[in-house]
Amino acid sequence: SIGNPTAIANLIALRRDRDKQTQARTVVIPNSVKLSPDDKTLYFSLSQSIDVQKPELLMEQTGMSELVRVTLAKATLDSNDGQMMAVFASALQQDYMDVDGPALRECVD
């Protein structure tokens, strides 16, 4: 068994943040954490606000006041050695809600 799904998703997000150069914190999206029936695969989504140097220019050019990155994640515990494999696929929120969403879901599933 993988353990408490929400706690594991948060630990994976924290570990992933440690490997990044940016200071922006990644948040597990509430209600996105799902565990497979065999308790060996964890699916969840992450959200991260992206720092924008000139928000007024972004608003003028795109009509958006902020940029958010959505990340789909899948973590599996298939071996008996305790090693977990994680797969991540990311896109800007506006792209995820448009044409990139189905492709990202297909990659992670």
Side-chain angles (χ1 to χ4, degrees):
S1 173
I2 231 168
N4 179 308
T6 303
I8 298 299
N10 281 308
L11 287 172
I12 291 170
L14 286 171
R15 175 68 171 100
R16 190 165 186 255
D17 279 350
R18 246 185 32 200
D19 293 338
K20 291 184 186 174
Q21 299 281 336
T22 64
Q23 298 297 320
R25 176 136 165 24
T26 303
V27 177
V28 175
I29 297 174
N31 301 321
S32 72
V33 180
K34 308 257 185 289
L35 191 59
S36 66
D38 66 359
D39 290 344
K40 292 188 175 200
T41 304
L42 177 66
Y43 299 90
F44 58 98
S45 300
L46 304 169
S47 175
Q48 179 184 28
S49 293
I50 298 172
D51 290 335
V52 177
Q53 297 291 350
K54 297 182 179 180
E56 63 282 346
L57 186 58
L58 178 68
M59 179 60 97
E60 183 180 308
Q61 291 178 343
T62 66
M64 294 181 298
S65 59
E66 67 175 348
L67 292 177
V68 175
R69 177 176 306 285
V70 174
T71 302
L72 301 180
K74 173 182 172 181
T76 58
L77 182 63
D78 285 327
S79 63
N80 291 326
D81 62 2
Q83 297 293 317
M84 185 178 288
M85 182 181 73
V87 176
F88 301 95
S90 299
L92 290 176
Q93 187 174 31
Q94 67 268 24
D95 296 333
Y96 176 76
M97 300 306 265
D98 195 22
V99 295
D100 290 345
L104 287 176
R105 282 189 290 279
E106 185 178 318
C107 288
V108 172
D109 288 340

